Amino acid sequence: MSWNKKIGRRILANGIVQGVGFRPFIFSQASRYHLTGWVRNTTLGVEIEINGAEDDIFTFLANFRSELPPLARIDQLVVTEQEFKPSLTFEIIQSSIDTKSKIIITPDVAICPDCQREMSDPNNRRYRYPFINCTNCGPRFSIIKNMPYDRQNTTMSTFQLCSECQAEYNDPFNRRFHAQPIACPKCGPNVWFEKDGKKCCVDESAIQISRQLLMDGKILAIKGLGGFHLACDATNCDAVEQLRKRKKRSDKPFALMVFDMQTAEKHCRLSRVEAEYLISPQHPILILDRLSHSNICELVAPNQTTVGIMLPYTPLHLLLMEPSDGFPEILVMTSGNLSEEPIAYRDDEALERLGGMADGFLLHNRPIYMRMDDSVIRVVDDHPFHLRRSRGFSPAPFMLPTSKRSILAVGAELKNTFCLSDQDNKIVSHHIGDLENFETYKAFEEGIAHFERLYKITPEILACDLHPDYLSTRYSVERAENENIPLIQIQHHHAHLASCLADNEWRRDEPVIGLCFDGTGLGTDSAIWGGEIIIGGYKEYQRFAHLQYFPLPGGDTCIHKPARTGLALLWSSGLQWDTAQYPLNFHNPDELSAILWQMENRINSPLTSSMGRLFDGVASLLGICQVATYEGQAAIELETIANPDETDFYDFPFQNGLLLYPSLISALIKDLKSGNSKSNISARFHNSIAIACLEICKSIKMKFGINTVAFSGGVWQNSFLTRKTMNYLQASDFSVLVHQKVPANDGGISLGQVMVAANSF
Ligand code: ZN
Ligand code: ZN
Ligand code: FE
């Protein structure tokens, strides 16, 4: 082998390789190693032809992955040999469009440091321009109307590039080469301020008047990247209270935005990993422990020790939040909607829906095509848990090889997402929301239509939940009938297990133990499941054990009234009713006898094994929460007070496939009556569940030799429980799979459904 032998190679790279500065990167790498040939976008990814000295080609290939542009991700790299083709140059050539193949669409990206620098440079032509972006940052998915990803197919199509922008766009060495949303003050979108239907200031003065409004303690509606936000000074309790009233949201925490990392550190405890996520290109909301001296108003997150914080992710946010004397250093930045409705994203719709809530609007004329909520992450022991996967993350696909047929899985009812599967690509949608709301249901239908058009996928199989009344189920039943395609209905907790496996790129055939703990999921016996210990994989599952059933007097009413569940637990544990105690003292005698009657006569009192309700009921018994105004409130408040140093626990026996709660409840009540602190009791309750999980897993291991345990379901958003259970299991040599990229809650269901369906056909 001679050192200067000339060879040729053809490379096909797929993953996130378009709209991320990948071709200029290849161009510069090729020049560095004196290679000739070309690079082009194709619908399969990026295709590269290189010719040169053997050593140079090998070095080029060896360094390829390690030096990628920041937003690029390679899922697959196929290198084929071909003969050396002598030529003098390396070129970026015209895209080749092949209609029937995989497309990957890039999520929206927060403003990058280079653009931030340019924006604050008075000599730059984009100085203080609210729509500055480049190949490494800016809007993507939220402005795409169609594929391929070219400017004509985005909501930027109506803005004609000026000659300077055009020159940057055409220059392969410019950092805006083929940046589709490229814009400048001369040719791009602009901002204005509106109040009472009157447009009053534009550009810089619109930003200044908006700032004044916030300084005055008023509420501002801001058109952002994926929708509207409502903002106010988070340290001004009158403003926050006003916002709660107008939004009709009583206790659910508001998200916050701070100008920079230093301010975040002033108010919250930040680990290295949390800080990394905060400034990552996705800029999600991080759930952080708030420091006790912080002056963030209590009303931002009532009864919680954490707050959700994000950094400004658009140039407009940065301009709006610029630190100055008298300007609030921390803003509430909550989605622009009435409680439970989806986030507003069209101008006319926002002006109408938010008119009664905002004292002014900061608007712009770059249309949002796809609504996109902020993503939410909580880090537990350096492990990131996505509580909501949306802006910045969706629609990046999951690569999981399955059957080649295309599948649409429609998810569950609450925190809905849907998922499309095309060959190995599993594309989980952004957060849609709770489908019981009509507006949200419309967004669900529109979202599905949009994804199918973008990705050119026509589902051959539909997958949905077992619950006949979920609107997502009804949608798929109807569609399966109309289009005459097969529909598979998947048990909720099986989908949870499959979701956790997929999230961990599980490719083995062997069964695992699934600890599927959540609030509600219809079981195959018509009971409401939710404390399920199942054994299985993508294809099948078997219910090994579950929380012993108890009644829910009033059915779904219990979700909003933990007090009822508290009563049900007392009653079904055969405990004395002490009217001086919670939750008896919360009800009047008539209510009490009505609830008792419902349970005794089994009237509208469905049975449940729900772990989520067990948490609700215990929160009620301890007098922590009797009425929940948002999902999971009682459990969150119970977790919040738990003493992390407490190691004691209650007896929570497991017999004949049942996890028996009555002894747990009676021990807990006894402890409460003896005067033990709620903080200790809450911790003991959590510990009891963790230990029960360990015991059950051990017995499964003895019986079936299974050593892997997967946690899924909304209950695992509880970091106290997750941490404890994980520690116990790992100390006994179990390997534990937890969610990372999709939520443990029902936001992850659609991915699980797709995997079950793909393995069933
Ligand atoms: Zn940039
Ligand atoms: Zn321009
Ligand atoms: Fe669930």
Side-chain angles (χ1 to χ4, degrees), residues 300-338:
V300 162
N303 302 324
Q304 297 200 21
T305 50
T306 58
V307 282
I309 286 201
M310 62 184 148
L311 295 178
Y313 53 85
T314 68
L316 181 58
H317 290 142
L318 281 168
L319 294 169
L320 181 73
M321 291 202 69
E322 214 165 31
S324 79
D325 253 0
F327 189 79
E329 65 174 7
I330 185 155
L331 291 181
V332 166
M333 196 61 87
T334 182
S335 50
N337 53 10
L338 253 181

Side-chain angles (χ1 to χ4, degrees), residues 657-674:
L658 293 179
L659 198 46
L660 305 169
Y661 61 82
S663 42
L664 170 81
I665 297 296
S666 49
L668 186 142
I669 294 290
K670 207 170 134 201
D671 211 4
L672 184 67
K673 286 187 173 164
S674 78

Side-chain angles (χ1 to χ4, degrees), residues 417-444:
T417 61
F418 57 86
C419 179
L420 270 179
S421 168
D422 179 30
Q423 305 188 15
D424 299 344
N425 272 346
K426 309 283 174 277
I427 309 141
V428 179
S429 78
H430 50 293
H431 166 82
I432 305 282
D434 298 348
L435 295 186
E436 55 200 8
N437 179 294
F438 177 69
E439 291 293 326
T440 316
Y441 180 74
K442 262 188 5 203
F444 164 82

Side-chain angles (χ1 to χ4, degrees), residues 124-130 165 183-190 203:
N124 191 284
R125 67 188 193 92
R126 293 189 180 87
Y127 177 56
R128 297 185 72 80
Y129 181 54
C165 286
C184 78
K186 223 194 272 178
C187 68
N190 68 320
D203 300 333

Side-chain angles (χ1 to χ4, degrees), residues 1 3 7 10-11 24 36 69-70 94 119 133 208 255 432 507 516 592 605 627 677 701 722 744:
M1 185 183 86
W3 63 273
I7 60 167
R10 180 69 70 95
I11 303 162
T36 61
Q94 190 76 47
M119 190 175 71
N133 66 78
Q208 294 314 323
I432 305 282
R507 288 170 194 211
C516 300
L592 276 181
S605 294
V627 176
S677 74
K701 190 187 205 163
T722 301

Side-chain angles (χ1 to χ4, degrees), residues 30-140:
S31 328
R32 182 171 161 193
Y33 298 111
H34 323 290
L35 308 178
T36 61
W38 47 260
V39 57
R40 65 173 178 187
N41 277 347
T42 74
T43 32
L44 284 170
V46 168
E47 199 177 9
I48 307 158
E49 185 178 293
I50 43 171
N51 299 285
E54 190 168 35
D55 285 3
D56 287 334
I57 286 201
F58 287 154
T59 324
F60 171 92
L61 289 172
N63 292 343
F64 200 78
R65 280 175 190 267
S66 56
E67 293 175 9
L68 286 179
L71 299 177
R73 183 185 102 190
I74 303 241
D75 290 329
Q76 203 181 28
L77 197 63
V78 183
V79 183
T80 46
E81 291 184 20
Q82 65 174 31
E83 69 185 52
F84 174 73
K85 291 184 192 158
S87 72
L88 291 171
T89 55
F90 191 89
E91 284 175 89
I92 296 178
I93 61 172
Q94 190 76 47
S95 306
S96 118
I97 305 300
D98 162 12
T99 49
K100 183 64 208 158
S101 52
K102 268 187 262 195
I103 316 170
I104 292 183
I105 300 171
T106 321
D108 299 295
V109 185
I111 182 172
C112 74
D114 288 336
C115 286
Q116 280 196 44
R117 252 190 306 278
E118 284 188 16
M119 190 175 71
S120 46
D121 172 6
N123 297 315
N124 191 284
R125 67 188 193 92
R126 293 189 180 87
Y127 177 56
R128 297 185 72 80
Y129 181 54
F131 301 94
I132 188 170
N133 66 78
C134 71
T135 30
N136 287 332
C137 76
R140 296 286 187 278

